[in-house]
Amino acid sequence: MVVPDLRDLELLEHAFASVLPADSFVKLTADDGPSLRYANFLRVLSGDVRIVIGTRSAAYAPVHDLGLVCCWDDGDELHVERRAPYQHSRDVLLLRSEIEGTAVLMAGHSRSSESQRLIATGWAQELVAARPEIRKATARVVSTSDSFEQERDPAAALARLPHRAWETARAALKFGPVMVQVARTGYAPALACQRCREVARCRHCTGPLMQTRAPGSASSMVICKWCGQVETAFSCNTCGNHELRAISVGALRTAEELGRAFPSVPVISSSGEHIKTTVGDRPAIVVATIGAEPVAPHGYAAALLLDGDSMLRRESLRAGEETLRRWMNAAALVRSAKDGGIVVVTADESPEVSTLVRWDPAGHAEREFALRHELGLPPAMRLASLTGSEADVAVFQAALTLPEEVRSIGPAPVLFARAGAPSDEAPDYRTILLFPYSMAASITADLRALKASNAARRVGSPVQVRCDGLDVL
């Protein structure tokens, strides 16, 4: 069984230990160190242990007579290896299941488009609880953007923490901890000029400036996100003003503001380098960035999901799907509605908000995949990206013999040279190829052969070839 990160692995280990003997399973993770990890690997290789849990690399564990492969939350980008060949844990497990004839289980609080494709093609079947059972097990979800809440609080659309969210937190703190999910870490991740509202830029590399702590504190600094230079005398390039204002709020500032709003309640922060796995059941406000939400033993009394609009506006094909996944993972940590659990989402009305209110991830995945299929976008189609200099990408693509069904987009610049960078620093260019699954084997074989041929003959500069990269579109 493969999980995205060490926090999930720790929770999974506790769950296995509660129902299985201690020596019946092993954990494979790099954080255990080479000695313990290799010892566990040998136990699996020799057949002494036939249950393996771990992160990405556990997908390759040599389990004897393998019968089942599981992947938890396959939509999480942590399942993707950042080094070549950029494999996804889900794809590795699917390949092993085909080779070894095993069963496959994809589990999670939400459903990815890739998992939905397996269902749409008939390769997999869905396992979904009945609606009455879902309503019993999940928290009540309230959207501050619906007509009822807008009539009660017309200013809710402009406030980061609407009155309904504040009242929910105040009432829930009598019964247990309250989680507040935010999108960004730090104090003020983005700054602008107080007068003209232009984004504040570093004078050394023109990178965006950020503030680390509250103004006036001993550790407060304004630094550049790109080069790390400390800015001590800011001057706006547009109007010459020297004052700054925050244009986005991070987890630290959110925790500071909530601490003032609820002075008698402890505030716990889980973000950046200080991520907590669990918190107690006593009343507290837990401010966590997305993906860093601690687990409460008996669930949170309430959860406030902030900054949803900024997550939905990300320039990504998967922005809506990813935002919904993060919301549902956080909402799953809240007590059920029958126990008083409530989730307040503050984003504007959208299909993702409606899906969260209804708790219908399967329906959202079906509609999302249908749209992707209609538009010819991944995962309904396979994708290959060619990245390198403009000339090398053009030559590489010209050397390929592609069928007419292959759609080519580009080449287009990927990263423009930054201001102040050397004049000879040219941007990379990328061409995207979209093709049906029926042609995937032949096209990827041609790409591999041409890549190997160019490397052997040392023709031009290397062109990076990636298939189904999640960060391409």
Side-chain angles (χ1 to χ4, degrees), residues 312-323:
L312 290 170
R313 285 195 295 262
R314 284 195 315 129
E315 295 182 0
S316 171
L317 177 67
R318 302 171 182 271
E321 175 187 332
E322 178 67 9
T323 300

Side-chain angles (χ1 to χ4, degrees), residues 426-451:
D428 283 338
Y429 279 74
R430 174 180 291 158
T431 291
I432 297 174
L433 305 177
L434 296 168
F435 45 91
Y437 276 78
S438 59
M439 300 180 178
S442 60
I443 292 177
T444 53
D446 292 343
L447 290 170
R448 186 186 302 109
L450 181 57
K451 176 80 173 172

